[in-house]
Coordinates of all heavy atoms in Angstrom, one line a residue:
F29 N -4.6 31.6 -12.1 CA -6.0 31.9 -12.0 C -6.2 33.4 -11.6 O -5.6 33.9 -10.6 CB -6.6 31.1 -10.8 CG -8.1 31.3 -10.6 CD1 -9.0 30.8 -11.5 CD2 -8.5 32.1 -9.6 CE1 -10.3 31.0 -11.3 CE2 -9.8 32.3 -9.4 CZ -10.8 31.8 -10.3
I30 N -6.9 34.1 -12.4 CA -7.1 35.5 -12.2 C -8.6 35.6 -11.6 O -9.5 35.5 -12.3 CB -6.9 36.3 -13.5 CG1 -5.6 36.1 -14.0 CG2 -7.2 37.8 -13.2 CD1 -5.3 36.7 -15.4
E31 N -8.7 35.9 -10.3 CA -10.0 35.8 -9.7 C -11.0 36.8 -10.2 O -12.2 36.6 -10.2 CB -9.8 36.0 -8.2 CG -11.0 35.9 -7.3 CD -11.0 34.9 -6.3 OE1 -9.9 34.3 -6.0 OE2 -12.0 34.8 -5.7
G32 N -10.6 37.9 -10.6 CA -11.6 38.9 -11.1 C -12.1 38.8 -12.4 O -13.0 39.4 -12.8
V33 N -11.4 37.9 -13.3 CA -11.9 37.7 -14.7 C -13.0 36.8 -14.7 O -12.8 35.6 -14.7 CB -10.7 37.3 -15.5 CG1 -11.1 37.1 -17.0 CG2 -9.6 38.2 -15.4
K34 N -14.3 37.2 -14.9 CA -15.4 36.4 -14.7 C -15.7 35.7 -16.1 O -16.5 34.9 -16.2 CB -16.6 37.2 -14.3 CG -16.5 37.7 -12.9 CD -17.8 38.3 -12.5 CE -17.6 38.8 -11.0 NZ -18.7 39.3 -10.4
S35 N -14.9 36.1 -17.2 CA -15.2 35.4 -18.4 C -14.3 34.2 -18.5 O -14.5 33.4 -19.5 CB -14.9 36.4 -19.6 OG -13.5 36.7 -19.5
S36 N -13.4 33.9 -17.6 CA -12.6 32.8 -17.7 C -13.3 31.5 -17.4 O -14.3 31.5 -16.7 CB -11.4 32.9 -16.8 OG -11.8 32.8 -15.4
Y37 N -12.9 30.5 -18.0 CA -13.6 29.1 -17.9 C -13.6 28.6 -16.5 O -14.6 28.1 -15.9 CB -12.9 28.2 -18.9 CG -13.5 26.7 -18.9 CD1 -14.8 26.5 -19.3 CD2 -12.7 25.7 -18.4 CE1 -15.2 25.3 -19.4 CE2 -13.2 24.4 -18.4 CZ -14.5 24.2 -18.9 OH -15.0 22.9 -18.9
D38 N -12.4 28.7 -15.8 CA -12.4 28.3 -14.5 C -13.1 29.1 -13.4 O -13.4 28.7 -12.3 CB -10.9 28.0 -14.1 CG -9.9 29.1 -14.5 OD1 -10.4 30.2 -15.0 OD2 -8.7 29.1 -14.2
W39 N -13.2 30.4 -13.7 CA -14.0 31.3 -12.8 C -15.4 30.8 -12.6 O -15.9 30.8 -11.5 CB -14.0 32.7 -13.3 CG -15.0 33.6 -12.5 CD1 -16.2 34.0 -12.9 CD2 -14.7 34.0 -11.2 NE1 -16.7 34.7 -11.9 CE2 -15.9 34.8 -10.8 CE3 -13.7 33.9 -10.3 CZ2 -16.0 35.4 -9.6 CZ3 -13.8 34.6 -9.1 CH2 -15.0 35.3 -8.7
N40 N -16.0 30.2 -13.6 CA -17.4 29.6 -13.5 C -17.4 28.5 -12.4 O -18.3 28.5 -11.6 CB -17.9 29.1 -14.8 CG -18.1 30.2 -15.8 OD1 -18.4 31.3 -15.5 ND2 -17.9 29.8 -17.1
F41 N -16.4 27.6 -12.4 CA -16.4 26.6 -11.4 C -16.1 27.1 -10.0 O -16.7 26.7 -9.0 CB -15.3 25.6 -11.8 CG -15.6 24.8 -13.0 CD1 -14.7 24.9 -14.1 CD2 -16.6 23.9 -13.1 CE1 -15.0 24.2 -15.3 CE2 -16.9 23.3 -14.2 CZ -16.1 23.4 -15.3
V42 N -15.2 28.1 -9.9 CA -15.0 28.8 -8.6 C -16.2 29.5 -8.0 O -16.6 29.3 -6.9 CB -13.8 29.7 -8.6 CG1 -13.6 30.4 -7.3 CG2 -12.5 28.9 -8.9
A43 N -16.9 30.2 -8.9 CA -18.1 30.9 -8.5 C -19.2 29.9 -8.1 O -19.9 30.1 -7.1 CB -18.6 31.8 -9.6
A44 N -19.3 28.8 -8.8 CA -20.3 27.8 -8.4 C -20.0 27.2 -7.1 O -20.8 26.8 -6.3 CB -20.4 26.7 -9.5
A45 N -18.6 26.8 -6.9 CA -18.2 26.3 -5.6 C -18.4 27.2 -4.4 O -19.0 26.7 -3.4 CB -16.8 25.9 -5.7
K46 N -18.2 28.5 -4.6 CA -18.5 29.4 -3.5 C -20.0 29.5 -3.3 O -20.4 29.7 -2.2 CB -17.9 30.8 -3.9 CG -16.4 30.8 -3.8 CD -15.8 32.1 -4.1 CE -14.3 32.1 -4.0 NZ -13.7 33.4 -4.3
Q47 N -20.8 29.4 -4.4 CA -22.2 29.4 -4.2 C -22.7 28.2 -3.5 O -23.7 28.3 -2.6 CB -22.9 29.5 -5.6 CG -24.4 29.7 -5.5 CD -25.0 29.9 -6.9 OE1 -24.3 29.7 -7.9 NE2 -26.3 30.2 -7.0
I48 N -22.1 27.1 -3.7 CA -22.4 25.8 -3.0 C -22.1 26.1 -1.5 O -22.9 25.6 -0.6 CB -21.7 24.7 -3.5 CG1 -22.2 24.3 -4.9 CG2 -21.7 23.4 -2.6 CD1 -21.4 23.3 -5.7
G53 N -26.1 24.8 -3.0 CA -26.4 24.4 -4.4 C -25.9 25.5 -5.3 O -25.4 26.6 -4.8
Y54 N -26.0 25.3 -6.6 CA -25.6 26.3 -7.5 C -26.4 26.3 -8.7 O -27.2 25.3 -9.0 CB -24.1 26.1 -7.9 CG -23.8 24.9 -8.8 CD1 -23.8 25.0 -10.2 CD2 -23.6 23.6 -8.3 CE1 -23.6 23.9 -11.0 CE2 -23.4 22.5 -9.1 CZ -23.3 22.7 -10.5 OH -23.2 21.6 -11.2
S55 N -26.4 27.3 -9.5 CA -27.2 27.4 -10.7 C -26.4 28.1 -11.8 O -25.5 28.9 -11.5 CB -28.5 28.2 -10.4 OG -28.2 29.5 -10.0
G56 N -26.7 27.9 -13.0 CA -26.1 28.6 -14.2 C -25.0 27.9 -14.8 O -24.5 28.4 -15.8
L57 N -24.6 26.8 -14.2 CA -23.4 26.1 -14.8 C -23.8 24.6 -15.0 O -24.2 23.9 -14.2 CB -22.2 26.1 -13.9 CG -20.9 25.4 -14.4 CD1 -20.3 26.3 -15.5 CD2 -19.9 25.4 -13.2
H58 N -23.9 24.2 -16.4 CA -24.5 22.9 -16.7 C -23.5 21.9 -17.2 O -23.9 20.8 -17.5 CB -25.6 23.2 -17.7 CG -26.6 24.1 -17.2 ND1 -27.5 23.8 -16.1 CD2 -27.0 25.4 -17.6 CE1 -28.3 24.8 -15.9 NE2 -28.0 25.8 -16.8
N59 N -22.2 22.3 -17.4 CA -21.3 21.3 -17.9 C -20.4 20.9 -16.6 O -20.1 21.6 -15.7 CB -20.4 21.9 -18.9 CG -19.7 23.1 -18.5 OD1 -20.0 23.7 -17.5 ND2 -18.7 23.5 -19.3
F60 N -20.1 19.6 -16.7 CA -19.4 19.0 -15.6 C -20.0 19.2 -14.2 O -19.4 19.9 -13.4 CB -17.9 19.3 -15.6 CG -17.2 19.1 -16.8 CD1 -16.7 20.0 -17.6 CD2 -17.0 17.7 -17.2 CE1 -16.0 19.7 -18.8 CE2 -16.4 17.4 -18.4 CZ -15.8 18.4 -19.2
P61 N -21.1 18.7 -13.9 CA -21.9 19.1 -12.7 C -21.3 18.7 -11.4 O -21.6 19.3 -10.4 CB -23.3 18.5 -12.9 CG -23.1 17.3 -13.8 CD -21.9 17.8 -14.8
Y63 N -18.0 18.7 -10.6 CA -16.7 19.4 -10.3 C -16.9 20.5 -9.3 O -16.1 20.8 -8.4 CB -16.0 19.8 -11.6 CG -14.6 20.3 -11.3 CD1 -13.6 19.4 -10.8 CD2 -14.2 21.6 -11.6 CE1 -12.4 19.9 -10.6 CE2 -13.0 22.1 -11.4 CZ -12.0 21.2 -10.8 OH -10.7 21.6 -10.7
P64 N -18.0 21.3 -9.5 CA -18.1 22.5 -8.4 C -18.3 21.9 -7.0 O -17.8 22.5 -6.1 CB -19.4 23.2 -8.9 CG -19.5 22.9 -10.4 CD -18.9 21.5 -10.6
Y65 N -18.9 20.7 -6.9 CA -19.0 20.1 -5.5 C -17.6 19.7 -5.0 O -17.3 19.7 -3.9 CB -20.0 18.9 -5.6 CG -21.4 19.4 -5.7 CD1 -22.1 19.4 -6.8 CD2 -22.1 19.9 -4.6 CE1 -23.4 19.8 -7.0 CE2 -23.4 20.4 -4.7 CZ -24.0 20.3 -5.9 OH -25.3 20.8 -6.0
L67 N -14.8 21.1 -5.9 CA -14.1 22.3 -5.5 C -14.6 22.9 -4.2 O -13.9 23.3 -3.3 CB -14.3 23.4 -6.6 CG -13.4 23.3 -7.8 CD1 -13.8 24.4 -8.8 CD2 -11.9 23.4 -7.4
A68 N -16.0 22.8 -4.0 CA -16.6 23.3 -2.7 C -16.0 22.5 -1.5 O -15.7 23.0 -0.5 CB -18.1 23.2 -2.8
F71 N -12.5 23.6 -1.0 CA -12.5 25.0 -0.4 C -13.0 24.9 1.1 O -12.5 25.6 2.0 CB -13.5 25.9 -1.1 CG -13.0 26.4 -2.4 CD1 -13.9 26.9 -3.4 CD2 -11.6 26.4 -2.7 CE1 -13.4 27.4 -4.6 CE2 -11.1 26.8 -3.9 CZ -12.1 27.4 -4.8
T78 N -7.2 29.4 -4.3 CA -7.3 28.6 -5.6 C -6.1 27.8 -5.8 O -6.1 26.9 -6.8 CB -7.6 29.5 -6.8 OG1 -6.6 30.5 -6.9 CG2 -9.0 30.2 -6.6
L128 N -7.9 25.4 -13.1 CA -9.0 24.8 -12.3 C -10.1 24.3 -13.4 O -11.3 24.6 -13.3 CB -9.7 25.9 -11.5 CG -8.9 26.3 -10.2 CD1 -9.6 27.4 -9.5 CD2 -8.8 25.1 -9.3
Y129 N -9.6 23.6 -14.3 CA -10.5 22.9 -15.2 C -11.0 21.6 -14.7 O -10.3 20.9 -14.0 CB -9.7 22.7 -16.6 CG -9.4 23.9 -17.4 CD1 -8.5 23.9 -18.4 CD2 -9.9 25.2 -17.0 CE1 -8.2 25.0 -19.2 CE2 -9.6 26.3 -17.8 CZ -8.8 26.3 -18.8 OH -8.4 27.3 -19.6
A130 N -12.2 21.3 -15.2 CA -12.8 20.0 -14.7 C -12.2 18.8 -15.5 O -12.4 17.7 -15.0 CB -14.3 20.0 -14.9

Side-chain angles (χ1 to χ4, degrees):
F29 178 78
I30 302 170
E31 181 126 3
V33 181
K34 294 187 178 183
S35 63
S36 68
Y37 179 66
D38 46 1
W39 170 256
N40 294 328
F41 292 115
V42 171
K46 288 181 179 179
Q47 188 177 6
I48 289 168
Y54 71 95
S55 62
L57 183 67
H58 303 292
N59 54 348
F60 301 117
Y63 191 63
Y65 288 101
L67 280 180
F71 286 162
T78 55
L128 287 175
Y129 290 168

